Amino acid sequence: MSAPHHKHHDTGYKELFSYPEFVQQLIEGFAPPDIAQLMDFTQLKQHSGYYITPMFEEKIEDVVWSVEVTWEGITQEVYLYILLEFQSSVDHTMPIRMMHYVACFYSELLKQKVITPSQGLPPIFPVVLYNGAHPWTPPLDIFDLVQPTPPAFLQRYQPHLRYYVVDEGRYTDEQLGRVSSPLSGIFGVENAGESWATLQTAVDRIVTMIQADPHKERIDKVITRWIKRHLYRLDAEINIDQLTSLVEDKEMLAENLENLVQKERQTGRQEGRLEGRQEAEQRALESKRNAARKLIALTEMSDQLIADIEELPVEEVEKLRAETQH
């Protein structure tokens, strides 16, 4: 995915999560149910734009909301820190980045005098929304990056910060089908990849979701903008400039997608794409093997740690070590 598209992609999601409905759909549909059930979503308040972190060069895409949670009879605010992670590959520094972002966020709350040190810090629920092709494999707590595992007397002095991952691409159609929300429809469109036939089905589903939503008109506008961005990103050869409402212009979009489906069947475009994808996967695998060979040669890391870092089976790393040593 080229750089401009990357930013384009992020911005589409950033707009979605500037609306409380989508934040609620994310937490209710994809976060642990025991957390979602405690939240009063009528009290959602947005806090985005609180800070930009200086440590990492890339512009981070994040949104921050607070929500009231009632636990054992006590109501308090919890901050939802949602990081939109749409790089094409998994970032293994995420536990360090997340600790840094949360620390910056707390510093900014103090600087803006939203809280004072004597009041203490508000609780936070950090969420990473990820849609890369490869499964999310980095540790979910920075403590798990500390190697070797410290002895018991040192463990209490190590950092701990756990975050929750919503890995879009790992949800099956069946799982998404059980979550009746426009956001789950969006995940379905993302997961349709570049098959126009699958995309057509996913778009039909999302229109049904919008029609059933209590905030139908607003949701329709927001998702229509997102779908247009998505189709431009896929280089769909259709004219959708006039598309202003998925519900109202349903027939126009359906006809356009049907033309793409017919063209796809005639040209066997999918086969060519599949071959291209397989070649790209092969190149990515070779690149991981080369990186693993360097770690074997230059560090004292264990095979398991190298396997975790490079997302390779440990048997593969053992094999590479044996080859390197010979």
Side-chain angles (χ1 to χ4, degrees):
M1 195 181 286
S2 63
H5 281 189
H6 179 111
K7 190 161 186 348
H8 207 136
H9 199 172
D10 289 358
T11 313
Y13 270 83
K14 190 138 188 180
E15 189 199 354
L16 288 182
F17 292 110
S18 65
Y19 293 93
E21 297 94 325
F22 287 99
V23 177
Q24 181 172 350
Q25 288 167 33
L26 178 69
I27 302 298
E28 280 189 333
F30 300 96
D34 52 340
I35 292 179
Q37 281 159 10
L38 299 171
M39 295 183 173
D40 177 359
F41 293 105
T42 63
Q43 300 301 313
L44 271 171
K45 287 200 280 289
Q46 191 170 12
H47 303 270
S48 292
Y50 253 137
Y51 75 97
I52 301 283
T53 180
M55 184 175 160
F56 295 94
E57 285 169 20
E58 92 278 16
K59 163 83 175 68
I60 62 164
E61 291 283 354
D62 58 0
V63 284
V64 183
W65 289 77
S66 65
V67 65
E68 282 190 359
V69 169
T70 302
W71 171 249
E72 295 185 347
I74 296 166
T75 300
Q76 64 184 88
E77 270 193 331
V78 169
Y79 282 83
L80 305 174
Y81 176 70
I82 303 166
L83 185 70
L84 308 173
E85 182 69 6
F86 294 149
Q87 302 183 76
S88 49
S89 58
V90 171
D91 185 346
H92 288 274
T93 65
M94 179 53 78
I96 304 165
R97 284 173 57 202
M98 185 57 90
M99 187 168 76
H100 178 70
Y101 297 155
V102 168
C104 283
F105 174 65
Y106 278 145
S107 297
E108 201 58 29
L109 288 181
L110 289 166
K111 200 159 86 185
Q112 306 266 358
K113 300 196 166 40
V114 176
I115 53 170
T116 63
S118 58
Q119 283 175 311
L121 302 171
I124 195 161
F125 179 45
V127 179
V128 172
L129 175 59
Y130 168 72
N131 80 340
H134 300 287
W136 186 263
T137 51
L140 300 180
D141 191 318
I142 190 165
F143 178 80
D144 298 326
L145 272 187
V146 178
Q147 296 289 339
T149 302
F153 69 90
L154 269 183
Q155 284 186 12
R156 65 171 67 185
Y157 302 107
Q158 306 314 305
H160 275 277
L161 179 73
R162 192 170 185 85
Y163 60 93
Y164 182 77
V165 175
V166 177
D167 185 348
E168 270 186 45
R170 306 290 81 76
Y171 292 102
T172 63
D173 287 347
E174 190 192 343
Q175 285 171 316
L176 290 175
R178 290 200 289 268
V179 181
S180 297
S181 72
L183 184 65
S184 97
I186 281 177
F187 289 1
V189 169
E190 285 272 15
N191 291 349
E194 296 180 356
S195 155
W196 300 124
T198 316
L199 186 74
Q200 190 180 33
T201 309
V203 169
D204 288 346
R205 178 173 173 256
I206 213 169
V207 171
T208 310
M209 298 285 186
I210 295 168
Q211 285 172 321
D213 197 277
H215 309 280
K216 185 168 108 175
E217 283 178 25
R218 181 157 96 150
I219 295 276
D220 183 21
K221 285 194 183 108
V222 177
I223 291 190
T224 302
R225 282 199 292 275
W226 185 87
I227 288 270
K228 284 174 81 166
R229 280 194 184 105
H230 185 70
L231 290 170
Y232 287 135
R233 213 162 47 238
L234 292 178
D235 295 326
E237 296 156 14
I238 52 177
N239 180 16
I240 48 170
D241 294 342
Q242 304 308 309
L243 184 69
T244 55
S245 156
L246 281 179
V247 174
E248 302 299 323
D249 305 327
K250 191 166 66 167
E251 305 309 320
M252 177 177 92
L253 183 58
E255 197 177 311
N256 272 302
L257 286 174
E258 186 53 41
N259 291 340
L260 289 174
V261 171
Q262 294 307 331
K263 206 184 288 184
E264 179 175 81
R265 287 183 184 135
Q266 287 155 9
T267 58
R269 187 174 169 193
Q270 274 308 97
E271 283 74 9
R273 279 199 172 135
L274 187 61
E275 281 167 24
R277 199 174 297 145
Q278 284 166 344
E279 278 175 32
E281 282 171 5
Q282 200 51 44
R283 283 197 301 273
L285 180 60
E286 200 43 51
S287 154
K288 286 181 189 177
R289 285 179 181 143
N290 286 336
R293 287 185 186 105
K294 280 185 192 158
L295 290 174
I296 290 165
L298 301 172
T299 73
E300 298 297 321
M301 287 183 187
S302 68
D303 291 356
Q304 185 61 58
L305 186 55
I306 293 173
D308 291 346
I309 291 171
E310 296 305 332
E311 297 173 59
L312 287 166
V314 71
E315 298 76 22
E316 178 105 1
V317 178
E318 286 164 0
K319 201 166 121 193
L320 291 170
R321 190 182 289 278
E323 285 168 17
T324 311
Q325 285 164 349
H326 288 123

